[in-house]
Amino acid sequence: MSKVTDPNAKGGNGFIWGVGVLLVIIAVVIGYIVWNGKQSSTDSVDALEAKDVNMSMEYNDGAITLKSESAKKGTPEVDLYEDFACPHCAELAEATDGDMQKAIEDGKLIVHVRTLNFLDGKDIENQEGYSTKAAAAMSELAKSGDIKTYWNLRDYMLQNQQKVATSWDIKDIADAAKEFGADDDVVDSIKDVDIKQGNKVAKTNYDKLDKETGSVSSPRIVKDGKDVPSEADQKAGKNLGDWVEIVTK
């Protein structure tokens, strides 16, 4: 005759103890994976060498203005709207940042980079996602005027978007800034930045874009309140990837 064992009886303690050990092992493994991910989140930045940049940077009212001493009165100016979580923004940066840098350094172009966070959600004033964190951290970095770190870090964050957008926090952005050469006081100011600064920056830029064009999306290039390329440019076969050529021709 078979006998059903009472799990609460003394003989069941071994089973309970075994389950407990298994749960502890699982917790340790998960903890190690999370810790190891954090430890290596900026390792790839450490292996990179920051590229020299021959331009200046100023931060004002949500805009990060990039220009060179060669710029003159009448030099074309554009607003570049981007969201650090936007795949198309990363694609545009990869396709046109080289041309943009050369045009700025040659004094042929002034760019006001305006960061958005609408990909975090509709309530852009109360977000805590990656786009908002990036807006807060990068605006704080921009206040320092350290253009070399800003340019190289922005490039890295966009080119490695799939990796950093899913794993980086403000502290990681600050650590990456340090790897690119930012001073310790700048790194500390990034780490201590209030995420609400990101919401404020994004809201300012969202409202400006919406007011001038009637819609919000990214990436966008806006000159004198109008999108580039224009309808006429598009009919001539131009697209967003040609924006530097269109603006500086």
Side-chain angles (χ1 to χ4, degrees), residues 64 84 115 130-144 150 153 157 168-174 177 186-187 189-195 197-199 201:
I64 299 170
F84 276 96
T115 309
Y130 172 71
S131 296
T132 308
K133 293 173 183 176
M138 296 302 276
S139 61
E140 189 66 21
L141 172 58
K143 291 178 183 179
S144 73
Y150 171 82
L153 182 53
M157 290 169 65
W168 278 19
D169 208 328
I170 288 177
K171 180 181 180 300
D172 298 301
I173 299 175
V186 175
V187 174
S189 71
I190 297 173
K191 288 182 179 179
D192 295 337
V193 70
D194 189 338
I195 194 170
Q197 180 169 304
N199 286 290
V201 168

PDB file of all heavy atoms in Angstrom, residues 64 84 115 130-144 150 153 157 168-174 177 186-187 189-195 197-199 201:
ATOM      1  N   ILE A  64      21.750  73.804 -27.326  1.00  0.00           N
ATOM      2  CA  ILE A  64      23.197  73.669 -27.243  1.00  0.00           C
ATOM      3  C   ILE A  64      23.742  74.187 -28.571  1.00  0.00           C
ATOM      4  O   ILE A  64      23.612  73.532 -29.606  1.00  0.00           O
ATOM      5  CB  ILE A  64      23.599  72.205 -27.015  1.00  0.00           C
ATOM      6  CG1 ILE A  64      23.001  71.699 -25.688  1.00  0.00           C
ATOM      7  CG2 ILE A  64      25.123  72.051 -27.013  1.00  0.00           C
ATOM      8  CD1 ILE A  64      23.126  70.197 -25.486  1.00  0.00           C
ATOM      9  N   PHE A  84      17.554  61.104 -27.957  1.00  0.00           N
ATOM     10  CA  PHE A  84      18.626  60.124 -27.842  1.00  0.00           C
ATOM     11  C   PHE A  84      18.140  58.681 -27.929  1.00  0.00           C
ATOM     12  O   PHE A  84      18.951  57.765 -28.063  1.00  0.00           O
ATOM     13  CB  PHE A  84      19.410  60.340 -26.543  1.00  0.00           C
ATOM     14  CG  PHE A  84      20.491  61.387 -26.667  1.00  0.00           C
ATOM     15  CD1 PHE A  84      20.254  62.691 -26.280  1.00  0.00           C
ATOM     16  CD2 PHE A  84      21.732  61.062 -27.194  1.00  0.00           C
ATOM     17  CE1 PHE A  84      21.239  63.660 -26.403  1.00  0.00           C
ATOM     18  CE2 PHE A  84      22.722  62.020 -27.324  1.00  0.00           C
ATOM     19  CZ  PHE A  84      22.486  63.327 -26.927  1.00  0.00           C
ATOM     20  N   THR A 115      17.417  68.939 -27.737  1.00  0.00           N
ATOM     21  CA  THR A 115      17.089  67.570 -27.338  1.00  0.00           C
ATOM     22  C   THR A 115      15.626  67.430 -26.939  1.00  0.00           C
ATOM     23  O   THR A 115      15.081  68.284 -26.224  1.00  0.00           O
ATOM     24  CB  THR A 115      17.983  67.129 -26.166  1.00  0.00           C
ATOM     25  OG1 THR A 115      19.347  67.385 -26.495  1.00  0.00           O
ATOM     26  CG2 THR A 115      17.822  65.649 -25.893  1.00  0.00           C
ATOM     27  N   TYR A 130      15.049  57.051 -20.447  1.00  0.00           N
ATOM     28  CA  TYR A 130      16.397  57.298 -20.952  1.00  0.00           C
ATOM     29  C   TYR A 130      16.509  58.621 -21.701  1.00  0.00           C
ATOM     30  O   TYR A 130      17.486  59.359 -21.531  1.00  0.00           O
ATOM     31  CB  TYR A 130      16.821  56.150 -21.876  1.00  0.00           C
ATOM     32  CG  TYR A 130      18.125  56.426 -22.589  1.00  0.00           C
ATOM     33  CD1 TYR A 130      19.331  56.418 -21.901  1.00  0.00           C
ATOM     34  CD2 TYR A 130      18.142  56.714 -23.960  1.00  0.00           C
ATOM     35  CE1 TYR A 130      20.529  56.687 -22.553  1.00  0.00           C
ATOM     36  CE2 TYR A 130      19.336  56.979 -24.612  1.00  0.00           C
ATOM     37  CZ  TYR A 130      20.522  56.960 -23.907  1.00  0.00           C
ATOM     38  OH  TYR A 130      21.698  57.240 -24.549  1.00  0.00           O
ATOM     39  N   SER A 131      15.522  58.955 -22.523  1.00  0.00           N
ATOM     40  CA  SER A 131      15.577  60.204 -23.286  1.00  0.00           C
ATOM     41  C   SER A 131      15.666  61.411 -22.358  1.00  0.00           C
ATOM     42  O   SER A 131      16.427  62.352 -22.612  1.00  0.00           O
ATOM     43  CB  SER A 131      14.344  60.346 -24.182  1.00  0.00           C
ATOM     44  OG  SER A 131      14.303  59.339 -25.160  1.00  0.00           O
ATOM     45  N   THR A 132      14.898  61.374 -21.278  1.00  0.00           N
ATOM     46  CA  THR A 132      14.903  62.472 -20.319  1.00  0.00           C
ATOM     47  C   THR A 132      16.211  62.527 -19.545  1.00  0.00           C
ATOM     48  O   THR A 132      16.769  63.606 -19.295  1.00  0.00           O
ATOM     49  CB  THR A 132      13.722  62.339 -19.342  1.00  0.00           C
ATOM     50  OG1 THR A 132      12.502  62.187 -20.090  1.00  0.00           O
ATOM     51  CG2 THR A 132      13.596  63.558 -18.441  1.00  0.00           C
ATOM     52  N   LYS A 133      16.720  61.368 -19.167  1.00  0.00           N
ATOM     53  CA  LYS A 133      18.007  61.308 -18.469  1.00  0.00           C
ATOM     54  C   LYS A 133      19.121  61.862 -19.360  1.00  0.00           C
ATOM     55  O   LYS A 133      19.990  62.612 -18.894  1.00  0.00           O
ATOM     56  CB  LYS A 133      18.322  59.867 -18.079  1.00  0.00           C
ATOM     57  CG  LYS A 133      17.390  59.289 -17.029  1.00  0.00           C
ATOM     58  CD  LYS A 133      17.656  57.810 -16.811  1.00  0.00           C
ATOM     59  CE  LYS A 133      16.669  57.216 -15.810  1.00  0.00           C
ATOM     60  NZ  LYS A 133      16.863  55.748 -15.657  1.00  0.00           N
ATOM     61  N   ALA A 134      19.090  61.488 -20.627  1.00  0.00           N
ATOM     62  CA  ALA A 134      20.109  61.968 -21.562  1.00  0.00           C
ATOM     63  C   ALA A 134      19.999  63.482 -21.742  1.00  0.00           C
ATOM     64  O   ALA A 134      21.019  64.186 -21.806  1.00  0.00           O
ATOM     65  CB  ALA A 134      19.952  61.261 -22.908  1.00  0.00           C
ATOM     66  N   ALA A 135      18.767  63.990 -21.828  1.00  0.00           N
ATOM     67  CA  ALA A 135      18.568  65.432 -21.979  1.00  0.00           C
ATOM     68  C   ALA A 135      19.109  66.185 -20.765  1.00  0.00           C
ATOM     69  O   ALA A 135      19.746  67.237 -20.894  1.00  0.00           O
ATOM     70  CB  ALA A 135      17.080  65.744 -22.163  1.00  0.00           C
ATOM     71  N   ALA A 136      18.874  65.638 -19.569  1.00  0.00           N
ATOM     72  CA  ALA A 136      19.364  66.268 -18.341  1.00  0.00           C
ATOM     73  C   ALA A 136      20.888  66.245 -18.291  1.00  0.00           C
ATOM     74  O   ALA A 136      21.539  67.268 -18.042  1.00  0.00           O
ATOM     75  CB  ALA A 136      18.785  65.552 -17.117  1.00  0.00           C
ATOM     76  N   ALA A 137      21.463  65.083 -18.537  1.00  0.00           N
ATOM     77  CA  ALA A 137      22.918  64.920 -18.438  1.00  0.00           C
ATOM     78  C   ALA A 137      23.663  65.733 -19.487  1.00  0.00           C
ATOM     79  O   ALA A 137      24.663  66.401 -19.186  1.00  0.00           O
ATOM     80  CB  ALA A 137      23.283  63.442 -18.562  1.00  0.00           C
ATOM     81  N   MET A 138      23.186  65.703 -20.725  1.00  0.00           N
ATOM     82  CA  MET A 138      23.901  66.386 -21.798  1.00  0.00           C
ATOM     83  C   MET A 138      23.743  67.904 -21.721  1.00  0.00           C
ATOM     84  O   MET A 138      24.645  68.651 -22.105  1.00  0.00           O
ATOM     85  CB  MET A 138      23.437  65.860 -23.153  1.00  0.00           C
ATOM     86  CG  MET A 138      23.760  64.377 -23.360  1.00  0.00           C
ATOM     87  SD  MET A 138      25.528  64.000 -23.232  1.00  0.00           S
ATOM     88  CE  MET A 138      26.057  64.393 -24.898  1.00  0.00           C
ATOM     89  N   SER A 139      22.616  68.377 -21.224  1.00  0.00           N
ATOM     90  CA  SER A 139      22.467  69.824 -21.039  1.00  0.00           C
ATOM     91  C   SER A 139      23.382  70.299 -19.924  1.00  0.00           C
ATOM     92  O   SER A 139      23.956  71.397 -19.993  1.00  0.00           O
ATOM     93  CB  SER A 139      21.008  70.190 -20.733  1.00  0.00           C
ATOM     94  OG  SER A 139      20.553  69.576 -19.540  1.00  0.00           O
ATOM     95  N   GLU A 140      23.547  69.473 -18.894  1.00  0.00           N
ATOM     96  CA  GLU A 140      24.456  69.827 -17.804  1.00  0.00           C
ATOM     97  C   GLU A 140      25.897  69.851 -18.298  1.00  0.00           C
ATOM     98  O   GLU A 140      26.674  70.746 -17.960  1.00  0.00           O
ATOM     99  CB  GLU A 140      24.306  68.829 -16.649  1.00  0.00           C
ATOM    100  CG  GLU A 140      25.028  69.216 -15.381  1.00  0.00           C
ATOM    101  CD  GLU A 140      24.464  70.473 -14.724  1.00  0.00           C
ATOM    102  OE1 GLU A 140      23.306  70.828 -15.003  1.00  0.00           O
ATOM    103  OE2 GLU A 140      25.210  71.087 -13.922  1.00  0.00           O
ATOM    104  N   LEU A 141      26.258  68.882 -19.113  1.00  0.00           N
ATOM    105  CA  LEU A 141      27.593  68.862 -19.715  1.00  0.00           C
ATOM    106  C   LEU A 141      27.801  70.094 -20.591  1.00  0.00           C
ATOM    107  O   LEU A 141      28.874  70.716 -20.571  1.00  0.00           O
ATOM    108  CB  LEU A 141      27.772  67.589 -20.548  1.00  0.00           C
ATOM    109  CG  LEU A 141      29.035  67.487 -21.415  1.00  0.00           C
ATOM    110  CD1 LEU A 141      30.292  67.623 -20.562  1.00  0.00           C
ATOM    111  CD2 LEU A 141      29.041  66.167 -22.184  1.00  0.00           C
ATOM    112  N   ALA A 142      26.779  70.469 -21.343  1.00  0.00           N
ATOM    113  CA  ALA A 142      26.884  71.614 -22.250  1.00  0.00           C
ATOM    114  C   ALA A 142      27.143  72.914 -21.490  1.00  0.00           C
ATOM    115  O   ALA A 142      27.824  73.811 -21.990  1.00  0.00           O
ATOM    116  CB  ALA A 142      25.614  71.747 -23.087  1.00  0.00           C
ATOM    117  N   LYS A 143      26.627  73.015 -20.279  1.00  0.00           N
ATOM    118  CA  LYS A 143      26.839  74.218 -19.474  1.00  0.00           C
ATOM    119  C   LYS A 143      28.318  74.450 -19.190  1.00  0.00           C
ATOM    120  O   LYS A 143      28.746  75.575 -18.976  1.00  0.00           O
ATOM    121  CB  LYS A 143      26.074  74.117 -18.150  1.00  0.00           C
ATOM    122  CG  LYS A 143      24.571  74.168 -18.290  1.00  0.00           C
ATOM    123  CD  LYS A 143      23.906  73.999 -16.924  1.00  0.00           C
ATOM    124  CE  LYS A 143      22.390  73.966 -17.024  1.00  0.00           C
ATOM    125  NZ  LYS A 143      21.766  73.782 -15.695  1.00  0.00           N
ATOM    126  N   SER A 144      29.095  73.377 -19.184  1.00  0.00           N
ATOM    127  CA  SER A 144      30.524  73.487 -18.877  1.00  0.00           C
ATOM    128  C   SER A 144      31.326  74.069 -20.027  1.00  0.00           C
ATOM    129  O   SER A 144      32.452  74.531 -19.842  1.00  0.00           O
ATOM    130  CB  SER A 144      31.090  72.104 -18.521  1.00  0.00           C
ATOM    131  OG  SER A 144      31.195  71.289 -19.691  1.00  0.00           O
ATOM    132  N   TYR A 150      31.509  66.793 -25.074  1.00  0.00           N
ATOM    133  CA  TYR A 150      30.125  66.756 -25.550  1.00  0.00           C
ATOM    134  C   TYR A 150      30.035  66.114 -26.926  1.00  0.00           C
ATOM    135  O   TYR A 150      29.207  65.224 -27.159  1.00  0.00           O
ATOM    136  CB  TYR A 150      29.529  68.163 -25.606  1.00  0.00           C
ATOM    137  CG  TYR A 150      28.182  68.198 -26.296  1.00  0.00           C
ATOM    138  CD1 TYR A 150      27.019  67.856 -25.619  1.00  0.00           C
ATOM    139  CD2 TYR A 150      28.083  68.523 -27.660  1.00  0.00           C
ATOM    140  CE1 TYR A 150      25.788  67.853 -26.259  1.00  0.00           C
ATOM    141  CE2 TYR A 150      26.858  68.525 -28.305  1.00  0.00           C
ATOM    142  CZ  TYR A 150      25.720  68.185 -27.610  1.00  0.00           C
ATOM    143  OH  TYR A 150      24.512  68.159 -28.260  1.00  0.00           O
ATOM    144  N   LEU A 153      30.914  62.341 -26.787  1.00  0.00           N
ATOM    145  CA  LEU A 153      29.935  61.562 -26.027  1.00  0.00           C
ATOM    146  C   LEU A 153      28.615  61.475 -26.775  1.00  0.00           C
ATOM    147  O   LEU A 153      27.991  60.405 -26.821  1.00  0.00           O
ATOM    148  CB  LEU A 153      29.734  62.185 -24.647  1.00  0.00           C
ATOM    149  CG  LEU A 153      28.765  61.458 -23.710  1.00  0.00           C
ATOM    150  CD1 LEU A 153      29.112  59.985 -23.568  1.00  0.00           C
ATOM    151  CD2 LEU A 153      28.741  62.148 -22.343  1.00  0.00           C
ATOM    152  N   MET A 157      26.886  58.008 -27.884  1.00  0.00           N
ATOM    153  CA  MET A 157      25.554  57.629 -27.422  1.00  0.00           C
ATOM    154  C   MET A 157      24.597  57.362 -28.586  1.00  0.00           C
ATOM    155  O   MET A 157      23.721  56.492 -28.489  1.00  0.00           O
ATOM    156  CB  MET A 157      24.997  58.713 -26.509  1.00  0.00           C
ATOM    157  CG  MET A 157      25.707  58.778 -25.166  1.00  0.00           C
ATOM    158  SD  MET A 157      25.279  60.262 -24.197  1.00  0.00           S
ATOM    159  CE  MET A 157      23.527  59.976 -23.879  1.00  0.00           C
ATOM    160  N   TRP A 168      21.936  52.480 -19.777  1.00  0.00           N
ATOM    161  CA  TRP A 168      22.591  53.609 -19.126  1.00  0.00           C
ATOM    162  C   TRP A 168      21.651  54.454 -18.286  1.00  0.00           C
ATOM    163  O   TRP A 168      20.509  54.715 -18.659  1.00  0.00           O
ATOM    164  CB  TRP A 168      23.260  54.507 -20.165  1.00  0.00           C
ATOM    165  CG  TRP A 168      24.611  54.015 -20.602  1.00  0.00           C
ATOM    166  CD1 TRP A 168      25.112  52.752 -20.468  1.00  0.00           C
ATOM    167  CD2 TRP A 168      25.627  54.787 -21.260  1.00  0.00           C
ATOM    168  NE1 TRP A 168      26.374  52.686 -20.999  1.00  0.00           N
ATOM    169  CE2 TRP A 168      26.721  53.910 -21.488  1.00  0.00           C
ATOM    170  CE3 TRP A 168      25.713  56.106 -21.667  1.00  0.00           C
ATOM    171  CZ2 TRP A 168      27.888  54.325 -22.110  1.00  0.00           C
ATOM    172  CZ3 TRP A 168      26.872  56.532 -22.301  1.00  0.00           C
ATOM    173  CH2 TRP A 168      27.947  55.648 -22.513  1.00  0.00           C
ATOM    174  N   ASP A 169      22.181  54.890 -17.154  1.00  0.00           N
ATOM    175  CA  ASP A 169      21.514  55.859 -16.292  1.00  0.00           C
ATOM    176  C   ASP A 169      22.336  57.152 -16.352  1.00  0.00           C
ATOM    177  O   ASP A 169      23.347  57.220 -17.048  1.00  0.00           O
ATOM    178  CB  ASP A 169      21.455  55.325 -14.858  1.00  0.00           C
ATOM    179  CG  ASP A 169      20.262  55.869 -14.090  1.00  0.00           C
ATOM    180  OD1 ASP A 169      19.871  57.023 -14.361  1.00  0.00           O
ATOM    181  OD2 ASP A 169      19.740  55.157 -13.216  1.00  0.00           O
ATOM    182  N   ILE A 170      21.912  58.177 -15.633  1.00  0.00           N
ATOM    183  CA  ILE A 170      22.652  59.434 -15.623  1.00  0.00           C
ATOM    184  C   ILE A 170      24.086  59.219 -15.145  1.00  0.00           C
ATOM    185  O   ILE A 170      25.030  59.805 -15.680  1.00  0.00           O
ATOM    186  CB  ILE A 170      21.933  60.475 -14.739  1.00  0.00           C
ATOM    187  CG1 ILE A 170      20.654  60.954 -15.445  1.00  0.00           C
ATOM    188  CG2 ILE A 170      22.844  61.667 -14.441  1.00  0.00           C
ATOM    189  CD1 ILE A 170      19.823  61.936 -14.639  1.00  0.00           C
ATOM    190  N   LYS A 171      24.260  58.352 -14.146  1.00  0.00           N
ATOM    191  CA  LYS A 171      25.601  58.075 -13.634  1.00  0.00           C
ATOM    192  C   LYS A 171      26.495  57.477 -14.718  1.00  0.00           C
ATOM    193  O   LYS A 171      27.691  57.798 -14.804  1.00  0.00           O
ATOM    194  CB  LYS A 171      25.529  57.133 -12.441  1.00  0.00           C
ATOM    195  CG  LYS A 171      26.899  56.793 -11.839  1.00  0.00           C
ATOM    196  CD  LYS A 171      26.780  55.835 -10.683  1.00  0.00           C
ATOM    197  CE  LYS A 171      28.154  55.518 -10.102  1.00  0.00           C
ATOM    198  NZ  LYS A 171      29.056  54.887 -11.111  1.00  0.00           N
ATOM    199  N   ASP A 172      25.928  56.617 -15.549  1.00  0.00           N
ATOM    200  CA  ASP A 172      26.712  56.015 -16.631  1.00  0.00           C
ATOM    201  C   ASP A 172      27.142  57.069 -17.646  1.00  0.00           C
ATOM    202  O   ASP A 172      28.257  57.018 -18.172  1.00  0.00           O
ATOM    203  CB  ASP A 172      25.896  54.913 -17.319  1.00  0.00           C
ATOM    204  CG  ASP A 172      25.548  53.777 -16.387  1.00  0.00           C
ATOM    205  OD1 ASP A 172      26.478  53.160 -15.848  1.00  0.00           O
ATOM    206  OD2 ASP A 172      24.358  53.518 -16.172  1.00  0.00           O
ATOM    207  N   ILE A 173      26.242  58.000 -17.936  1.00  0.00           N
ATOM    208  CA  ILE A 173      26.583  59.087 -18.865  1.00  0.00           C
ATOM    209  C   ILE A 173      27.708  59.924 -18.277  1.00  0.00           C
ATOM    210  O   ILE A 173      28.643  60.323 -18.978  1.00  0.00           O
ATOM    211  CB  ILE A 173      25.346  59.955 -19.166  1.00  0.00           C
ATOM    212  CG1 ILE A 173      24.245  59.104 -19.823  1.00  0.00           C
ATOM    213  CG2 ILE A 173      25.723  61.138 -20.065  1.00  0.00           C
ATOM    214  CD1 ILE A 173      22.940  59.835 -20.050  1.00  0.00           C
ATOM    215  N   ALA A 174      27.636  60.191 -16.980  1.00  0.00           N
ATOM    216  CA  ALA A 174      28.692  60.952 -16.312  1.00  0.00           C
ATOM    217  C   ALA A 174      30.018  60.198 -16.354  1.00  0.00           C
ATOM    218  O   ALA A 174      31.075  60.797 -16.625  1.00  0.00           O
ATOM    219  CB  ALA A 174      28.289  61.233 -14.863  1.00  0.00           C
ATOM    220  N   ALA A 177      31.445  60.472 -19.732  1.00  0.00           N
ATOM    221  CA  ALA A 177      32.010  61.811 -19.933  1.00  0.00           C
ATOM    222  C   ALA A 177      33.426  61.874 -19.358  1.00  0.00           C
ATOM    223  O   ALA A 177      34.333  62.473 -19.961  1.00  0.00           O
ATOM    224  CB  ALA A 177      31.124  62.857 -19.277  1.00  0.00           C
ATOM    225  N   VAL A 186      32.936  68.631 -13.498  1.00  0.00           N
ATOM    226  CA  VAL A 186      31.892  68.501 -14.518  1.00  0.00           C
ATOM    227  C   VAL A 186      31.203  67.142 -14.376  1.00  0.00           C
ATOM    228  O   VAL A 186      29.967  67.042 -14.444  1.00  0.00           O
ATOM    229  CB  VAL A 186      32.480  68.648 -15.939  1.00  0.00           C
ATOM    230  CG1 VAL A 186      31.405  68.391 -16.993  1.00  0.00           C
ATOM    231  CG2 VAL A 186      33.074  70.037 -16.119  1.00  0.00           C
ATOM    232  N   VAL A 187      31.995  66.102 -14.169  1.00  0.00           N
ATOM    233  CA  VAL A 187      31.448  64.756 -13.979  1.00  0.00           C
ATOM    234  C   VAL A 187      30.513  64.735 -12.768  1.00  0.00           C
ATOM    235  O   VAL A 187      29.409  64.175 -12.827  1.00  0.00           O
ATOM    236  CB  VAL A 187      32.587  63.732 -13.795  1.00  0.00           C
ATOM    237  CG1 VAL A 187      32.016  62.350 -13.449  1.00  0.00           C
ATOM    238  CG2 VAL A 187      33.439  63.641 -15.051  1.00  0.00           C
ATOM    239  N   SER A 189      28.900  67.253 -11.471  1.00  0.00           N
ATOM    240  CA  SER A 189      27.684  68.042 -11.727  1.00  0.00           C
ATOM    241  C   SER A 189      26.687  67.247 -12.574  1.00  0.00           C
ATOM    242  O   SER A 189      25.476  67.384 -12.392  1.00  0.00           O
ATOM    243  CB  SER A 189      28.032  69.363 -12.411  1.00  0.00           C
ATOM    244  OG  SER A 189      28.458  69.159 -13.752  1.00  0.00           O
ATOM    245  N   ILE A 190      27.190  66.412 -13.470  1.00  0.00           N
ATOM    246  CA  ILE A 190      26.303  65.563 -14.269  1.00  0.00           C
ATOM    247  C   ILE A 190      25.636  64.524 -13.379  1.00  0.00           C
ATOM    248  O   ILE A 190      24.430  64.283 -13.469  1.00  0.00           O
ATOM    249  CB  ILE A 190      27.075  64.876 -15.412  1.00  0.00           C
ATOM    250  CG1 ILE A 190      27.638  65.917 -16.386  1.00  0.00           C
ATOM    251  CG2 ILE A 190      26.164  63.897 -16.160  1.00  0.00           C
ATOM    252  CD1 ILE A 190      28.554  65.329 -17.454  1.00  0.00           C
ATOM    253  N   LYS A 191      26.433  63.892 -12.519  1.00  0.00           N
ATOM    254  CA  LYS A 191      25.884  62.867 -11.627  1.00  0.00           C
ATOM    255  C   LYS A 191      24.805  63.437 -10.712  1.00  0.00           C
ATOM    256  O   LYS A 191      23.847  62.750 -10.361  1.00  0.00           O
ATOM    257  CB  LYS A 191      27.001  62.251 -10.791  1.00  0.00           C
ATOM    258  CG  LYS A 191      27.944  61.351 -11.558  1.00  0.00           C
ATOM    259  CD  LYS A 191      29.001  60.734 -10.660  1.00  0.00           C
ATOM    260  CE  LYS A 191      29.913  59.806 -11.454  1.00  0.00           C
ATOM    261  NZ  LYS A 191      30.974  59.200 -10.605  1.00  0.00           N
ATOM    262  N   ASP A 192      24.976  64.700 -10.318  1.00  0.00           N
ATOM    263  CA  ASP A 192      24.047  65.314  -9.374  1.00  0.00           C
ATOM    264  C   ASP A 192      22.874  66.037 -10.041  1.00  0.00           C
ATOM    265  O   ASP A 192      22.022  66.597  -9.342  1.00  0.00           O
ATOM    266  CB  ASP A 192      24.798  66.325  -8.490  1.00  0.00           C
ATOM    267  CG  ASP A 192      25.829  65.656  -7.591  1.00  0.00           C
ATOM    268  OD1 ASP A 192      25.685  64.451  -7.318  1.00  0.00           O
ATOM    269  OD2 ASP A 192      26.793  66.341  -7.179  1.00  0.00           O
ATOM    270  N   VAL A 193      22.835  66.046 -11.363  1.00  0.00           N
ATOM    271  CA  VAL A 193      21.799  66.810 -12.047  1.00  0.00           C
ATOM    272  C   VAL A 193      20.410  66.241 -11.736  1.00  0.00           C
ATOM    273  O   VAL A 193      20.226  65.018 -11.627  1.00  0.00           O
ATOM    274  CB  VAL A 193      22.043  66.819 -13.578  1.00  0.00           C
ATOM    275  CG1 VAL A 193      21.781  65.439 -14.190  1.00  0.00           C
ATOM    276  CG2 VAL A 193      21.167  67.867 -14.256  1.00  0.00           C
ATOM    277  N   ASP A 194      19.452  67.125 -11.576  1.00  0.00           N
ATOM    278  CA  ASP A 194      18.065  66.724 -11.331  1.00  0.00           C
ATOM    279  C   ASP A 194      17.448  66.320 -12.665  1.00  0.00           C
ATOM    280  O   ASP A 194      17.534  67.055 -13.645  1.00  0.00           O
ATOM    281  CB  ASP A 194      17.288  67.902 -10.727  1.00  0.00           C
ATOM    282  CG  ASP A 194      15.898  67.514 -10.250  1.00  0.00           C
ATOM    283  OD1 ASP A 194      15.353  66.492 -10.725  1.00  0.00           O
ATOM    284  OD2 ASP A 194      15.343  68.257  -9.418  1.00  0.00           O
ATOM    285  N   ILE A 195      16.813  65.155 -12.702  1.00  0.00           N
ATOM    286  CA  ILE A 195      16.214  64.683 -13.950  1.00  0.00           C
ATOM    287  C   ILE A 195      15.144  65.662 -14.446  1.00  0.00           C
ATOM    288  O   ILE A 195      14.844  65.707 -15.652  1.00  0.00           O
ATOM    289  CB  ILE A 195      15.614  63.273 -13.772  1.00  0.00           C
ATOM    290  CG1 ILE A 195      15.320  62.650 -15.142  1.00  0.00           C
ATOM    291  CG2 ILE A 195      14.372  63.311 -12.904  1.00  0.00           C
ATOM    292  CD1 ILE A 195      14.967  61.191 -15.088  1.00  0.00           C
ATOM    293  N   GLN A 197      15.518  68.628 -14.880  1.00  0.00           N
ATOM    294  CA  GLN A 197      16.159  69.505 -15.857  1.00  0.00           C
ATOM    295  C   GLN A 197      15.968  68.955 -17.266  1.00  0.00           C
ATOM    296  O   GLN A 197      15.768  69.715 -18.214  1.00  0.00           O
ATOM    297  CB  GLN A 197      17.658  69.633 -15.550  1.00  0.00           C
ATOM    298  CG  GLN A 197      18.407  70.538 -16.532  1.00  0.00           C
ATOM    299  CD  GLN A 197      19.807  70.849 -16.045  1.00  0.00           C
ATOM    300  OE1 GLN A 197      19.997  71.355 -14.943  1.00  0.00           O
ATOM    301  NE2 GLN A 197      20.820  70.548 -16.867  1.00  0.00           N
ATOM    302  N   GLY A 198      16.002  67.634 -17.391  1.00  0.00           N
ATOM    303  CA  GLY A 198      15.770  67.005 -18.686  1.00  0.00           C
ATOM    304  C   GLY A 198      14.360  67.245 -19.179  1.00  0.00           C
ATOM    305  O   GLY A 198      14.123  67.508 -20.360  1.00  0.00           O
ATOM    306  N   ASN A 199      13.394  67.162 -18.247  1.00  0.00           N
ATOM    307  CA  ASN A 199      12.000  67.439 -18.612  1.00  0.00           C
ATOM    308  C   ASN A 199      11.825  68.885 -19.072  1.00  0.00           C
ATOM    309  O   ASN A 199      11.114  69.165 -20.041  1.00  0.00           O
ATOM    310  CB  ASN A 199      11.088  67.169 -17.407  1.00  0.00           C
ATOM    311  CG  ASN A 199      10.887  65.695 -17.134  1.00  0.00           C
ATOM    312  OD1 ASN A 199      10.237  64.994 -17.885  1.00  0.00           O
ATOM    313  ND2 ASN A 199      11.466  65.224 -16.047  1.00  0.00           N
ATOM    314  N   VAL A 201      14.172  70.969 -20.310  1.00  0.00           N
ATOM    315  CA  VAL A 201      14.844  71.155 -21.601  1.00  0.00           C
ATOM    316  C   VAL A 201      13.971  70.636 -22.737  1.00  0.00           C
ATOM    317  O   VAL A 201      13.743  71.312 -23.739  1.00  0.00           O
ATOM    318  CB  VAL A 201      16.206  70.425 -21.616  1.00  0.00           C
ATOM    319  CG1 VAL A 201      16.771  70.350 -23.035  1.00  0.00           C
ATOM    320  CG2 VAL A 201      17.204  71.133 -20.702  1.00  0.00           C
TER     321      VAL A 201
END
